[in-house]
Amino acid sequence: SQKIEQNSEALNIQEGKTATLTCNYTNYSPAYLQWYRQDPGRGPVFLLLIRENEKEKRKERLKVTFDTTLKQSLFHITASQPADSATYLCALSFNDYKLSFGAGTTVTVRA
Amino acid sequence: NAGVTQTPKFRVLKTGQSMTLLCAQDMNHEYMYWYRQDPGMGLRLIHYSVGEGTTAKGEVPDGYNVSRLKKQNFLLGLESAAPSQTSVYFCASSSTAVATNEKLFFGSGTQLSVL
């Protein structure tokens, strides 16, 4: 069956540093991958989508890479700020209607 | 800009009780979804709907029923609540199928505890 794995450990980093999150998947070749942000007590909010033919995507201080050979996506937050503290989820579509999510990685940025 | 609205935000049930969670979206989206989120397990799809009057089972449908009588509303029912259904429930919507690179819009969730 398809499986999505994210860094199981929480990530604690100093303000200004780069946070790098990993999303690995198995047994499938998705056409695209999405990243969401979730704050405590709130629903996930869409951040970025990257397609299988795109190696890298950027949005402001966020950068996502997609390596279909390694079956891995990396999510980078550069020049991190305390406001970036949240849980980040990766998501893949394994069929037409179902978007499957990883368990998420919690990032805490220290001032 | 309401987006996706879920009610109630919190609920405590006793085992065996029933309840309905309401999801409403004002974006005229065709697709709607119910997920549950448990610690360390990520979001799991319970049921979904691809349009008014249609519903389909997701990954973990047992113990739940859904209805989509109006395009803007998607109801999730628990007929006989069990402690295993203690979770945070999220409703989401999208304008087209996720296979077309469509993102999901989520509500703020319902925290349900079954004692």
Side-chain angles (χ1 to χ4, degrees):
Chain A
S1 61
Q2 303 94 353
K3 197 173 181 181
I4 304 171
E5 291 184 339
Q6 297 188 242
N7 310 55
S8 57
E9 307 254 339
L11 200 58
N12 292 286
I13 60 170
Q14 185 72 37
E15 182 176 9
K17 300 295 186 184
T18 296
T20 299
L21 285 63
T22 304
C23 176
N24 294 299
Y25 58 93
T26 61
N27 298 334
Y28 192 71
S29 296
Y32 66 91
L33 185 147
Q34 301 183 12
W35 284 90
Y36 289 76
R37 168 182 172 141
Q38 186 174 21
D39 292 289
R42 308 294 297 270
V45 175
F46 173 80
L47 293 175
L48 280 168
L49 179 151
I50 185 165
R51 294 177 175 79
E52 61 178 341
N53 60 350
E54 297 175 318
K55 297 299 181 187
E56 183 179 298
K57 198 84 169 276
R58 291 176 184 262
K59 179 182 176 182
E60 297 173 353
R61 295 181 295 105
L62 306 179
K63 184 178 85 170
V64 173
T65 62
F66 194 11
D67 189 326
T68 55
T69 301
L70 293 178
K71 294 188 183 298
Q72 180 181 80
S73 175
L74 298 179
F75 179 86
H76 306 271
I77 307 171
T78 60
S80 60
Q81 304 169 359
D84 295 326
S85 298
T87 297
Y88 294 86
L89 312 173
C90 71
L92 302 170
S93 175
F94 291 119
N95 60 33
D96 285 350
Y97 307 114
K98 177 185 171 183
L99 196 61
S100 296
F101 288 81
T105 299
T106 299
V107 174
T108 302
V109 181
R110 304 187 308 274
Chain B
N1 293 338
V4 179
T5 304
Q6 291 182 233
T7 54
K9 293 189 182 304
F10 303 94
R11 187 72 186 267
V12 178
L13 290 178
K14 293 182 179 179
T15 297
Q17 287 185 319
S18 63
M19 78 160 295
T20 300
L21 281 66
L22 173 63
C23 177
Q25 52 93 6
D26 62 1
M27 296 173 282
N28 201 36
H29 283 173
E30 289 293 334
Y31 296 75
M32 296 187 75
Y33 314 83
W34 276 107
Y35 284 88
R36 61 177 287 174
Q37 187 174 41
D38 302 291
M41 297 190 72
L43 290 154
R44 292 182 291 169
L45 184 65
I46 305 171
H47 286 281
Y48 63 94
S49 169
V50 302
E52 181 178 317
T54 74
T55 63
K57 293 181 180 180
E59 187 182 0
V60 288
D62 293 342
Y64 305 95
N65 56 76
V66 289
S67 64
R68 183 108 182 260
L69 298 179
K70 293 183 179 181
K71 185 177 183 178
Q72 63 269 31
N73 296 337
F74 195 28
L75 278 62
L76 178 70
L78 285 73
E79 291 187 347
S80 179
S84 61
Q85 294 177 304
T86 294
S87 187
V88 181
Y89 291 85
F90 287 100
C91 177
S93 70
S94 63
S95 60
T96 59
V98 293
T100 60
N101 302 340
E102 189 58 38
K103 63 187 178 186
L104 299 189
F105 293 82
F106 283 86
S108 58
T110 296
Q111 172 72 60
L112 175 66
S113 295
V114 182
L115 306 178

